[in-house]
């Protein structure tokens, strides 16, 4: 009695990623590495997934840093605008200690937020390093599979006939 089991795989791409780009990456790696067996094709697939994850971390890190730079710029602009408006309303207010304290607390908030974003960015950098090490190992394993296949195709000199 055969049991028909449908195996479902979780999606590899996130909603903001194009699955065709992952497919194109797999095709390009397949053409470059030229796998001959099922195990070699599976190894190429794993290499593509590692590469995809590396690119995903780099994209996220770039977006994170761009967002942080934009947010810090907006915060600085708000501070400057507030300082200018305070000067217009009360020319002597820009020298007050309360305004300096408020500006200092805002700068502290910006610094903490920036440090938190850098911490997240550092996490992504560590993840990329681990993924690159994994990709190197997968490539080494792929080349080992190819070497074993090549050795298996060598005829034994003692058994070959003239």
């Amino acid at each position: 009695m055969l049991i028909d089991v449908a195996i479902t795989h979780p999606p590899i791409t996130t909603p903001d990623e194009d699955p065709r780009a992952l497919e194109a990456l797999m095709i390009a790696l397949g053409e470059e590495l030229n796998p001959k067996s099922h195990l070699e094709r599976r190894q190429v697939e794993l290499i593509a997934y590692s590469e995809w994850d590396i690119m995903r971390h780099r994209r996220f890190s770039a977006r994170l840093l761009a967002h942080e730079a934009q947010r810090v710029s907006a915060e600085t602009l708000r501070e400057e605008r507030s300082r200018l408006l305070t000067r217009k309303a009360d020319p002597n207010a820009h020298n007050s200690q309360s305004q300096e304290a408020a500006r200092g607390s805002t700068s502290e908030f910006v610094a903490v937020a920036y440090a938190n974003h850098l911490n997240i960015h550092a996490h992504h950098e560590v993840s990329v390093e681990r993924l690159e090490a994994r990709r190197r190992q997968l490539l080494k394993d792929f080349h080992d599979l190819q070497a074993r296949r090549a050795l298996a195709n060598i005829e034994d000199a003692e058994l070959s006939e003239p």
Side-chain angles (χ1 to χ4, degrees):
M1 179 174 158
L2 289 174
I3 299 174
D4 187 18
V5 178
I7 300 174
T8 58
H9 297 286
I12 302 298
T13 57
T14 60
D16 64 326
E17 295 173 332
D18 184 4
R20 292 174 299 198
L22 175 58
E23 185 179 333
L25 174 64
M26 284 190 189
I27 290 169
L29 283 171
E31 289 174 356
E32 183 177 331
L33 296 173
N34 196 22
K36 301 288 186 203
S37 68
H38 171 73
L39 288 176
E40 289 177 10
R41 283 188 294 279
R42 177 66 179 141
Q43 202 67 20
V44 168
E45 187 178 313
L46 293 172
I47 293 165
Y49 291 154
S50 290
E51 183 67 30
W52 189 258
D53 284 342
I54 290 168
M55 292 186 310
R56 177 183 291 144
H57 277 284
R58 288 187 174 150
R59 281 191 308 269
F60 184 81
S61 190
R63 277 192 304 235
L64 181 71
L65 290 176
H67 171 73
E68 181 60 22
Q70 184 180 21
R71 192 190 60 71
V72 168
S73 295
E75 185 64 35
T76 304
L77 183 61
R78 276 193 297 274
E79 276 184 29
E80 185 64 25
R81 197 176 294 147
S82 173
R83 193 167 50 81
L84 289 173
L85 289 174
T86 305
R87 269 191 198 162
K88 286 181 181 177
D90 183 3
N92 296 326
H94 71 280
N95 293 328
S96 73
Q97 290 179 349
S98 63
Q99 187 178 7
E100 287 298 322
R103 203 174 321 146
S105 66
T106 303
S107 296
E108 183 178 332
F109 172 76
V110 170
V112 168
Y114 183 72
N116 287 338
H117 278 76
L118 285 180
N119 189 26
I120 295 168
H121 176 71
H123 160 75
H124 285 285
E125 288 298 312
V126 169
S127 295
V128 166
E129 287 176 22
R130 280 196 311 260
L131 286 164
E132 286 179 342
R134 181 169 188 259
R135 180 183 56 192
R136 282 190 300 273
Q137 184 61 49
L138 288 168
L139 276 166
K140 181 185 176 303
D141 293 347
F142 175 79
H143 291 301
D144 288 348
L145 283 171
Q146 282 187 322
R148 281 192 212 134
R149 182 175 40 81
L151 287 174
N153 290 334
I154 297 176
E155 292 183 27
D156 189 353
E158 295 176 15
L159 297 178
S160 66
E161 296 186 22

